[in-house]
Amino acid sequence: DDDEEEDEDEEDEEEEKEDETDSITGLEGLSLPCQAMLKQALIAQVGGELERAVHLYLMCFKVHPAAAPNFRDEFMQVLTLHGSRLAAQGEAAKGLPLYKLAAAVLPRDAEALTLLGRLLFVLGKEGEARQQWLAAIKAASTEAACVEARESLDLQNARAVNRWHYRMINDAERNQSYEDALRRAVERRGSHATPVLDIGAGTGLLAMYAARCSSNDPVWACEMSEPMVEIAAEVLAANKLSARVSLLAKHSDDLRVAPSHSDDLRAALALGGDSMCLDEKPLSVGVLRERVQVIVTETADCGLLGESMMPSLRIAAHNLLATDGQTMPCNAQVHALLVHSPILRSQGRVNEKALSGVIMSPAVTLIPQDPYLCEYLCECGHESLTAPFAALVVPFGCG
């Protein structure tokens, strides 16, 4: 008896679902197979079978594109719910094939492209996410339709361009010193070519200085951050230097010099993973046509060596630099000064007098293991205990 009652309950539920779909609007003018598929999709959606519903909608839209405009909102709702459910279960990656299929079936739908970009970003595929958001902005019929894509791009740009980057590129003395050094390097070569490689190009500033110093010599700029590469490409275009600077979306350790023969050159280009003509600009192919005369970089952090500047330059000099070439900078000096500063001291250990009698764990009171902090002494009260002195001289390579 209990089994019969359960069967009857299930039948009643199915009948209720079918009743809900009997009065569907938007089916007019669609073929009977299309109508049946949409009804099945709606039944699956009402019944919580979200993945099945997404598949049915996409199958219908692909076979019967005329159905998409009338049922797009229902589809987006179930796709978003399905993605949220997977994310809550810690299985967001399982939704990627469906999101990609949705973007393929609805290639002009800004929301579908934005959702795909958001998932790619969550999965750590920032470069692919950026491409989807750019496509969403291009596909959007109104400005309101691409607000989320624009905001996502802005946030990604903000993450790519750290706050310290602005201090660096706004340093007029630093910028002029680099441009003057590049100009002197070109002038010393006279009529001989001076190919230049900018490592850790960022916005491409140093590469553009190199391009301005010589009208015809090749200039390469490599940058491993995909969002930063996109920004650099926009900066180069704004300065009308896209044709002069070859942008490489690679770490400098992965760059190679192409063999001289054309057949070997084609084989070398294949190492980059993309098929391309020899005349194309090698955005993602890490192959240089020749060894460079100058390797220029500003991959130093506030303590000089935190961004692996020495090993990067050593490998680049061995693999990419001509025998009579030079690196910029060729060396660096670290200067030190001993100070007494309660403000700086407070950033490295707990001041128990400030805790109103609360005792901290030894794990908290210990000095943190950060190698150094970045502070402006002029903004911190301090007393100098020594005169400034040269603490370390670092040779980077040829000069």
Side-chain angles (χ1 to χ4, degrees):
D1 292 340
D2 290 341
D3 291 341
E4 291 179 2
E5 289 179 3
E6 288 179 5
D7 291 340
E8 289 176 2
D9 289 340
E10 290 177 3
E11 290 175 4
D12 290 340
E13 288 178 6
E14 290 298 323
E15 288 176 3
E16 288 176 6
K17 292 176 187 177
E18 290 177 2
D19 290 340
E20 290 180 22
T21 61
D22 284 339
S23 58
I24 299 172
T25 58
L27 294 176
E28 300 81 6
L30 300 177
S31 65
L32 291 178
C34 179
Q35 292 185 29
M37 201 178 300
L38 285 170
K39 286 184 177 181
Q40 288 300 313
L42 289 166
I43 290 171
Q45 183 173 354
V46 172
E49 299 178 76
L50 302 182
E51 184 173 356
R52 182 168 184 267
V54 171
H55 277 292
L56 286 166
Y57 276 123
L58 287 174
M59 191 184 307
C60 181
F61 295 166
K62 188 173 183 179
V63 178
H64 308 280
N70 292 337
F71 293 90
R72 174 204 169 277
D73 291 346
E74 289 82 357
F75 166 70
M76 286 299 172
Q77 182 183 35
V78 71
L79 179 64
T80 303
L81 286 173
H82 179 54
S84 298
R85 180 182 290 181
L86 289 174
Q89 296 170 351
E91 299 178 333
K94 287 187 176 180
L96 186 57
L98 281 181
Y99 276 77
K100 285 186 173 181
L101 183 58
V105 174
L106 303 172
R108 301 295 302 169
D109 192 295
E111 185 177 0
L113 296 168
T114 300
L115 288 174
L116 174 57
R118 186 197 301 168
L119 179 56
L120 287 167
F121 184 82
V122 168
L123 297 177
K125 302 176 183 292
E126 295 194 15
E128 294 180 48
R130 185 179 182 85
Q131 293 304 317
Q132 296 303 322
W133 289 328
L134 289 171
I137 293 171
K138 186 177 180 180
S141 56
T142 65
E143 187 62 28
C146 63
V147 168
E148 186 176 347
R150 287 194 184 280
E151 289 179 348
S152 298
L153 280 174
D154 289 343
L155 287 172
Q156 189 182 47
N157 289 344
R159 291 177 72 252
V161 186
N162 296 303
R163 293 182 66 182
W164 56 260
H165 202 97
Y166 292 99
R167 286 180 174 176
M168 183 174 68
I169 62 177
N170 288 332
D171 188 337
E173 184 177 355
R174 161 198 172 271
N175 298 341
Q176 192 62 56
S177 296
Y178 267 104
E179 185 168 21
D180 290 346
L182 286 164
R183 183 171 287 107
R184 288 194 297 270
V186 172
E187 291 173 352
R188 280 197 298 269
R189 295 279 298 169
S191 60
H192 298 286
T194 310
V196 176
L197 170 64
D198 178 6
I199 291 179
T203 57
L205 184 64
L206 302 185
M208 289 187 288
Y209 288 161
R212 291 198 320 196
C213 291
S214 175
S215 58
N216 296 313
D217 295 342
V219 178
W220 289 276
C222 68
E223 171 58 53
M224 62 182 294
S225 166
E226 292 185 8
M228 205 70 236
V229 168
E230 296 287 345
I231 293 171
E234 294 171 11
V235 173
L236 289 171
N239 287 273
K240 297 181 173 56
L241 287 171
S242 299
R244 287 283 292 113
V245 178
S246 297
L247 195 56
L248 307 169
K250 294 282 186 178
H251 191 287
S252 60
D253 290 358
D254 299 324
L255 302 182
R256 297 291 182 270
V257 177
S260 57
H261 299 294
S262 59
D263 289 343
D264 292 337
L265 177 58
R266 292 180 185 278
L269 289 172
L271 294 174
D274 293 343
S275 61
M276 55 174 284
C277 299
L278 295 182
D279 295 333
E280 292 182 22
K281 294 181 71 58
L283 176 62
S284 59
V285 177
V287 179
L288 311 185
R289 293 198 304 270
E290 58 189 301
R291 286 184 173 268
V292 298
Q293 285 293 327
V294 177
I295 292 177
V296 62
T297 188
E298 227 288 23
T299 50
D301 65 349
C302 61
L304 183 63
L305 303 177
E307 294 190 16
S308 303
M309 189 174 178
M310 285 190 70
S312 293
L313 278 178
R314 184 173 63 250
I315 293 172
H318 179 268
N319 293 336
L320 310 170
L321 190 63
T323 54
D324 58 343
Q326 68 178 107
T327 60
M328 292 184 187
C330 60
N331 62 67
Q333 280 192 349
V334 178
H335 292 264
L337 171 69
L338 299 182
V339 301
H340 169 68
S341 173
I343 294 176
L344 293 177
R345 180 182 175 86
S346 69
Q347 296 185 28
R349 61 183 65 191
V350 172
N351 179 7
E352 294 183 354
K353 294 179 180 180
L355 303 178
S356 299
V358 174
I359 299 174
M360 280 289 154
S361 162
V364 178
T365 57
L366 291 175
I367 297 175
Q369 296 302 307
D370 295 330
Y372 38 71
L373 299 172
C374 181
E375 298 291 343
Y376 285 100
L377 279 181
C378 61
E379 299 174 359
C380 303
H382 70 280
E383 176 188 352
S384 297
L385 302 179
T386 69
F389 57 93
L392 182 65
V393 177
V394 181
F396 288 123
C398 307

